[in-house]
Amino acid sequence: MSLSASPTHYTHGSDKSSYWRYRLFNDVLQPATEHGLSELPLRPDMEVLEVGCGIGDTACYFAQEVFPDGHVTAFDVAEELLAFGPEQAKSRNIQNISFICTDAFDFDYSPEQYDLIHARCVLKHLSDPTFIVSKLFEALKPSGWLFVEEEYTPVRGTDTECWQKRFAIWIWLLVRAAGGHPYYTRHRLPASMESIGFRNIRAENYVFTPNQKKYFEMIYLALSKELRSGLLEKGIASEQQIEDLQDIFQNVDTSMSQQALNIPQVFGRKP
Protein backbone atom coordinates (compact mmCIF):
# COMPACT_ATOMS: atom_id res chain seq x y z
CA MET A 1 0.00 0.00 0.00
CA SER A 2 1.02 3.58 0.49
CA LEU A 3 2.53 4.21 3.88
CA SER A 4 4.48 7.39 3.48
CA ALA A 5 7.66 8.65 5.03
CA SER A 6 5.48 10.70 7.37
CA PRO A 7 3.81 8.36 9.88
CA THR A 8 0.33 9.81 9.37
CA HIS A 9 0.28 10.74 5.69
CA TYR A 10 -0.51 8.82 2.52
CA THR A 11 0.77 10.20 -0.77
CA HIS A 12 -1.89 8.24 -2.69
CA GLY A 13 -5.11 9.06 -0.80
CA SER A 14 -6.19 7.71 2.58
CA ASP A 15 -9.86 8.49 3.25
CA LYS A 16 -13.00 6.46 2.58
CA SER A 17 -13.53 8.04 -0.81
CA SER A 18 -10.35 6.27 -1.96
CA TYR A 19 -11.86 2.83 -1.35
CA TRP A 20 -12.78 1.98 -4.92
CA ARG A 21 -9.39 2.89 -6.35
CA TYR A 22 -7.66 0.70 -3.77
CA ARG A 23 -10.08 -2.10 -4.56
CA LEU A 24 -9.10 -1.80 -8.24
CA PHE A 25 -5.43 -1.61 -7.23
CA ASN A 26 -5.70 -4.91 -5.35
CA ASP A 27 -7.60 -6.59 -8.18
CA VAL A 28 -5.05 -5.42 -10.75
CA LEU A 29 -2.02 -6.68 -8.80
CA GLN A 30 -3.56 -9.87 -7.38
CA PRO A 31 -2.19 -12.12 -10.18
CA ALA A 32 1.33 -10.96 -9.41
CA THR A 33 0.90 -11.63 -5.69
CA GLU A 34 -0.49 -15.10 -6.40
CA HIS A 35 2.50 -15.82 -8.63
CA GLY A 36 4.91 -14.73 -5.91
CA LEU A 37 3.22 -16.94 -3.34
CA SER A 38 3.53 -19.91 -5.71
CA GLU A 39 7.30 -19.48 -5.53
CA LEU A 40 7.39 -20.00 -1.76
CA PRO A 41 7.17 -23.13 0.45
CA LEU A 42 3.85 -22.34 2.11
CA ARG A 43 1.68 -24.18 4.62
CA PRO A 44 -1.98 -23.44 5.42
CA ASP A 45 -1.18 -23.00 9.15
CA MET A 46 1.35 -20.18 8.81
CA GLU A 47 1.46 -17.04 10.94
CA VAL A 48 1.48 -14.12 8.49
CA LEU A 49 2.10 -10.37 8.75
CA GLU A 50 0.74 -8.00 6.08
CA VAL A 51 2.58 -4.66 6.18
CA GLY A 52 0.60 -1.66 4.95
CA CYS A 53 -2.60 -3.58 4.29
CA GLY A 54 -4.76 -0.64 3.12
CA ILE A 55 -8.39 -1.72 2.83
CA GLY A 56 -7.50 -5.30 3.79
CA ASP A 57 -8.30 -7.11 0.52
CA THR A 58 -5.01 -8.97 0.33
CA ALA A 59 -4.97 -9.76 4.05
CA CYS A 60 -8.47 -11.26 3.81
CA TYR A 61 -7.42 -13.28 0.77
CA PHE A 62 -4.45 -14.62 2.69
CA ALA A 63 -6.55 -15.57 5.73
CA GLN A 64 -9.38 -17.20 3.80
CA GLU A 65 -7.73 -18.74 0.75
CA VAL A 66 -4.04 -19.30 1.46
CA PHE A 67 -3.61 -19.72 5.23
CA PRO A 68 -7.03 -20.93 6.50
CA ASP A 69 -5.46 -22.83 9.40
CA GLY A 70 -3.09 -20.03 10.38
CA HIS A 71 -3.52 -16.41 11.36
CA VAL A 72 -2.98 -13.12 9.53
CA THR A 73 -2.04 -9.90 11.31
CA ALA A 74 -2.48 -6.80 9.14
CA PHE A 75 -1.63 -3.20 9.92
CA ASP A 76 -1.91 0.18 8.24
CA VAL A 77 -1.60 3.81 9.30
CA ALA A 78 -4.73 5.05 7.46
CA GLU A 79 -7.58 4.57 9.92
CA GLU A 80 -10.40 5.26 7.45
CA LEU A 81 -9.06 2.77 4.93
CA LEU A 82 -8.22 0.17 7.56
CA ALA A 83 -11.84 0.23 8.78
CA PHE A 84 -12.84 -1.64 5.62
CA GLY A 85 -10.70 -4.63 6.66
CA PRO A 86 -12.76 -5.82 9.64
CA GLU A 87 -15.94 -5.15 7.65
CA GLN A 88 -14.73 -7.41 4.86
CA ALA A 89 -13.63 -10.10 7.29
CA LYS A 90 -17.00 -10.05 9.06
CA SER A 91 -19.02 -10.19 5.83
CA ARG A 92 -16.94 -13.16 4.63
CA ASN A 93 -16.90 -14.89 8.04
CA ILE A 94 -13.12 -14.73 8.26
CA GLN A 95 -12.07 -15.18 11.87
CA ASN A 96 -8.33 -15.88 11.63
CA ILE A 97 -7.33 -12.26 11.05
CA SER A 98 -6.47 -9.20 13.15
CA PHE A 99 -6.24 -5.56 12.04
CA ILE A 100 -4.12 -2.95 13.82
CA CYS A 101 -3.99 0.78 13.11
CA THR A 102 -0.35 1.84 13.37
CA ASP A 103 2.55 2.79 11.13
CA ALA A 104 5.58 0.73 10.19
CA PHE A 105 7.85 2.46 12.72
CA ASP A 106 5.53 1.98 15.72
CA PHE A 107 4.29 -1.56 15.11
CA ASP A 108 5.30 -4.07 17.79
CA TYR A 109 7.58 -6.50 15.92
CA SER A 110 7.65 -9.36 18.40
CA PRO A 111 10.72 -11.55 17.84
CA GLU A 112 10.31 -14.73 15.80
CA GLN A 113 6.53 -14.54 15.50
CA TYR A 114 5.79 -14.87 11.77
CA ASP A 115 6.38 -17.52 9.12
CA LEU A 116 5.75 -15.07 6.28
CA ILE A 117 5.80 -11.29 6.02
CA HIS A 118 4.38 -9.58 2.94
CA ALA A 119 4.80 -5.93 1.95
CA ARG A 120 3.41 -4.56 -1.32
CA CYS A 121 4.13 -1.00 -2.46
CA VAL A 122 5.19 0.07 1.03
CA LEU A 123 8.95 0.28 1.46
CA LYS A 124 9.52 3.01 -1.11
CA HIS A 125 7.30 5.37 0.90
CA LEU A 126 9.32 5.05 4.12
CA SER A 127 11.99 7.47 5.29
CA ASP A 128 14.22 4.58 6.47
CA PRO A 129 13.15 1.38 4.70
CA THR A 130 16.30 -0.54 5.68
CA PHE A 131 15.49 -0.06 9.37
CA ILE A 132 12.02 -1.52 8.79
CA VAL A 133 13.46 -4.47 6.85
CA SER A 134 15.72 -5.17 9.84
CA LYS A 135 12.65 -5.16 12.12
CA LEU A 136 10.88 -7.55 9.75
CA PHE A 137 13.90 -9.85 9.93
CA GLU A 138 13.65 -9.90 13.72
CA ALA A 139 9.92 -10.66 13.56
CA LEU A 140 10.37 -13.68 11.30
CA LYS A 141 10.72 -17.16 12.71
CA PRO A 142 13.81 -19.15 11.64
CA SER A 143 13.20 -20.32 8.04
CA GLY A 144 10.51 -17.64 7.67
CA TRP A 145 10.19 -15.68 4.43
CA LEU A 146 9.96 -12.00 3.53
CA PHE A 147 8.06 -11.32 0.28
CA VAL A 148 8.24 -7.76 -1.04
CA GLU A 149 6.47 -6.35 -4.08
CA GLU A 150 6.92 -2.85 -5.41
CA GLU A 151 5.17 -0.46 -7.76
CA TYR A 152 4.69 -1.68 -11.32
CA THR A 153 5.94 -0.13 -14.55
CA PRO A 154 4.18 -0.52 -17.92
CA VAL A 155 5.95 -2.68 -20.52
CA ARG A 156 5.15 -4.20 -23.93
CA GLY A 157 2.24 -1.88 -24.15
CA THR A 158 -0.19 -0.07 -26.32
CA ASP A 159 0.07 3.30 -27.98
CA THR A 160 -0.53 4.85 -24.52
CA GLU A 161 2.56 3.27 -22.96
CA CYS A 162 4.63 6.47 -23.17
CA TRP A 163 1.86 8.30 -21.29
CA GLN A 164 1.70 5.58 -18.67
CA LYS A 165 5.45 5.90 -18.15
CA ARG A 166 4.96 9.63 -17.64
CA PHE A 167 2.38 8.78 -14.98
CA ALA A 168 4.89 6.39 -13.35
CA ILE A 169 7.55 9.12 -13.32
CA TRP A 170 5.11 11.49 -11.64
CA ILE A 171 4.54 8.88 -8.94
CA TRP A 172 8.27 8.46 -8.36
CA LEU A 173 8.77 12.22 -8.11
CA LEU A 174 5.87 12.52 -5.67
CA VAL A 175 7.23 9.73 -3.46
CA ARG A 176 10.66 11.35 -3.43
CA ALA A 177 9.19 14.76 -2.61
CA ALA A 178 7.44 13.18 0.41
CA GLY A 179 10.75 11.82 1.73
CA GLY A 180 10.50 8.31 0.34
CA HIS A 181 12.84 6.22 -1.82
CA PRO A 182 11.12 5.33 -5.10
CA TYR A 183 13.88 3.01 -6.37
CA TYR A 184 14.65 1.28 -3.07
CA THR A 185 13.17 -2.13 -3.82
CA ARG A 186 14.51 -2.24 -7.37
CA HIS A 187 18.06 -1.09 -6.62
CA ARG A 188 18.91 -1.49 -2.94
CA LEU A 189 16.67 -4.01 -1.19
CA PRO A 190 18.51 -7.27 -2.06
CA ALA A 191 21.84 -5.90 -0.84
CA SER A 192 20.20 -4.52 2.32
CA MET A 193 18.57 -7.89 3.00
CA GLU A 194 21.89 -9.70 2.62
CA SER A 195 23.64 -7.34 5.05
CA ILE A 196 20.82 -7.80 7.58
CA GLY A 197 21.16 -11.59 7.47
CA PHE A 198 18.63 -12.87 4.96
CA ARG A 199 19.57 -15.85 2.79
CA ASN A 200 18.18 -17.40 -0.40
CA ILE A 201 17.51 -13.90 -1.70
CA ARG A 202 15.86 -13.68 -5.11
CA ALA A 203 14.96 -10.54 -7.04
CA GLU A 204 12.62 -11.03 -9.98
CA ASN A 205 10.62 -8.91 -12.39
CA TYR A 206 7.22 -10.51 -12.93
CA VAL A 207 5.55 -9.43 -16.17
CA PHE A 208 1.83 -10.01 -16.57
CA THR A 209 -1.22 -8.60 -18.32
CA PRO A 210 -3.81 -7.33 -15.82
CA ASN A 211 -7.51 -6.71 -16.31
CA GLN A 212 -7.35 -3.79 -18.73
CA LYS A 213 -10.60 -2.09 -17.75
CA LYS A 214 -9.70 -2.09 -14.05
CA TYR A 215 -6.13 -0.98 -14.72
CA PHE A 216 -7.02 2.12 -16.73
CA GLU A 217 -9.90 3.01 -14.42
CA MET A 218 -7.48 2.83 -11.48
CA ILE A 219 -5.10 5.30 -13.13
CA TYR A 220 -7.92 7.63 -14.13
CA LEU A 221 -9.31 7.72 -10.59
CA ALA A 222 -5.86 8.38 -9.13
CA LEU A 223 -5.42 11.39 -11.38
CA SER A 224 -8.96 12.59 -10.70
CA LYS A 225 -8.49 13.07 -6.97
CA GLU A 226 -5.89 11.29 -4.91
CA LEU A 227 -2.70 12.26 -6.69
CA ARG A 228 -3.83 15.51 -8.25
CA SER A 229 -3.32 17.74 -5.21
CA GLY A 230 0.14 16.34 -4.50
CA LEU A 231 1.26 16.68 -8.11
CA LEU A 232 0.07 20.28 -8.20
CA GLU A 233 1.42 21.22 -4.76
CA LYS A 234 4.90 19.87 -5.52
CA GLY A 235 4.97 21.42 -8.99
CA ILE A 236 5.38 18.03 -10.65
CA ALA A 237 2.54 18.52 -13.14
CA SER A 238 0.15 21.27 -14.18
CA GLU A 239 -3.65 21.09 -14.24
CA GLN A 240 -3.55 20.91 -18.03
CA GLN A 241 -1.00 18.08 -18.06
CA ILE A 242 -3.06 16.09 -15.57
CA GLU A 243 -6.29 16.65 -17.54
CA ASP A 244 -4.58 15.66 -20.79
CA LEU A 245 -3.40 12.40 -19.24
CA GLN A 246 -6.85 11.74 -17.79
CA ASP A 247 -8.42 12.14 -21.22
CA ILE A 248 -5.97 9.69 -22.73
CA PHE A 249 -6.60 7.01 -20.11
CA GLN A 250 -10.37 7.55 -20.08
CA ASN A 251 -10.57 6.93 -23.82
CA VAL A 252 -8.46 3.77 -24.05
CA ASP A 253 -10.28 0.95 -25.87
CA THR A 254 -9.79 -1.69 -23.18
CA SER A 255 -11.30 -4.38 -25.42
CA MET A 256 -8.24 -4.02 -27.67
CA SER A 257 -5.58 -3.04 -25.16
CA GLN A 258 -3.00 -5.60 -24.03
CA GLN A 259 -0.94 -3.48 -21.67
CA ALA A 260 1.47 -5.57 -19.62
CA LEU A 261 2.98 -4.59 -16.27
CA ASN A 262 6.36 -5.35 -14.72
CA ILE A 263 6.30 -5.67 -10.94
CA PRO A 264 9.54 -6.23 -8.97
CA GLN A 265 9.33 -9.05 -6.43
CA VAL A 266 12.02 -9.78 -3.85
CA PHE A 267 12.15 -12.87 -1.62
CA GLY A 268 14.44 -13.68 1.30
CA ARG A 269 14.60 -16.34 4.00
CA LYS A 270 15.70 -15.94 7.59
CA PRO A 271 18.19 -18.73 8.46
Side-chain angles (χ1 to χ4, degrees):
M1 270 306 146
S2 304
L3 281 165
S4 77
S6 170
T8 59
H9 176 63
Y10 256 56
T11 60
H12 291 25
S14 61
D15 58 30
K16 290 183 178 180
S17 65
S18 303
Y19 170 81
W20 182 244
R21 192 191 72 82
Y22 281 113
R23 180 67 181 271
L24 292 170
F25 178 86
N26 287 327
D27 288 349
V28 166
L29 297 187
Q30 180 83 0
T33 300
E34 291 179 358
H35 167 78
L37 291 174
S38 73
E39 299 288 296
L40 294 171
L42 304 180
R43 307 184 315 273
D45 64 345
M46 281 183 161
E47 290 288 324
V48 178
L49 177 64
E50 174 76 357
V51 180
C53 66
I55 62 173
D57 274 16
T58 301
C60 285
Y61 161 71
F62 284 170
Q64 188 169 51
E65 303 292 337
V66 188
F67 308 104
D69 299 323
H71 187 272
V72 175
T73 301
F75 74 82
D76 200 281
V77 69
E79 186 175 1
E80 289 191 40
L81 290 181
L82 186 68
F84 290 107
E87 292 176 7
Q88 288 192 69
K90 183 177 180 180
S91 67
R92 295 160 61 178
N93 195 30
I94 302 172
Q95 300 181 9
N96 59 327
I97 192 167
S98 301
F99 291 95
I100 301 171
C101 186
T102 187
D103 74 271
F105 293 96
D106 290 335
F107 181 76
D108 180 14
Y109 298 97
S110 298
E112 299 188 357
Q113 184 167 346
Y114 302 104
D115 300 290
L116 172 69
I117 298 177
H118 177 248
R120 186 173 70 190
C121 301
V122 172
L123 295 182
K124 69 176 184 179
H125 293 280
L126 302 176
S127 58
D128 189 353
T130 300
F131 172 77
I132 295 302
V133 173
S134 70
K135 299 302 290 183
L136 300 180
F137 181 83
E138 294 175 9
L140 282 169
K141 298 177 183 178
S143 297
W145 285 88
L146 174 63
F147 171 25
V148 175
E149 303 180 270
E150 202 44 84
E151 200 79 77
Y152 61 84
T153 52
V155 293
R156 288 202 320 249
T158 62
D159 56 359
T160 67
E161 182 178 329
C162 65
W163 302 110
Q164 295 174 64
K165 288 183 176 178
R166 174 178 289 187
F167 173 76
I169 290 170
W170 287 356
I171 296 291
W172 295 336
L173 292 172
L174 188 59
V175 169
R176 181 175 291 168
H181 302 270
Y183 299 105
Y184 179 79
T185 297
R186 291 177 183 270
H187 297 163
R188 294 170 51 195
L189 178 59
S192 295
M193 290 173 63
E194 184 176 12
S195 67
I196 288 167
F198 283 95
R199 297 294 180 264
N200 305 108
I201 299 166
R202 303 195 318 273
E204 303 175 357
N205 288 302
Y206 181 62
V207 177
F208 68 108
T209 302
N211 180 295
Q212 299 293 290
K213 183 177 180 181
K214 290 182 177 181
Y215 170 64
F216 284 104
E217 183 181 359
M218 176 188 73
I219 296 178
Y220 176 80
L221 289 176
L223 288 170
S224 297
K225 175 182 179 291
E226 295 157 336
L227 298 177
R228 178 184 291 268
S229 60
L231 293 171
L232 293 172
E233 179 185 341
K234 300 298 182 182
I236 295 170
S238 67
E239 284 276 9
Q240 189 61 56
Q241 288 174 317
I242 294 172
E243 290 175 7
D244 288 346
L245 218 55
Q246 280 184 281
D247 288 341
I248 290 170
F249 294 141
Q250 189 175 31
N251 292 306
V252 170
D253 184 353
T254 55
S255 67
M256 300 295 292
S257 174
Q258 290 295 317
Q259 180 62 59
L261 302 178
N262 176 355
I263 183 165
Q265 297 183 325
V266 181
F267 310 85
R269 182 181 65 84
K270 181 176 181 177

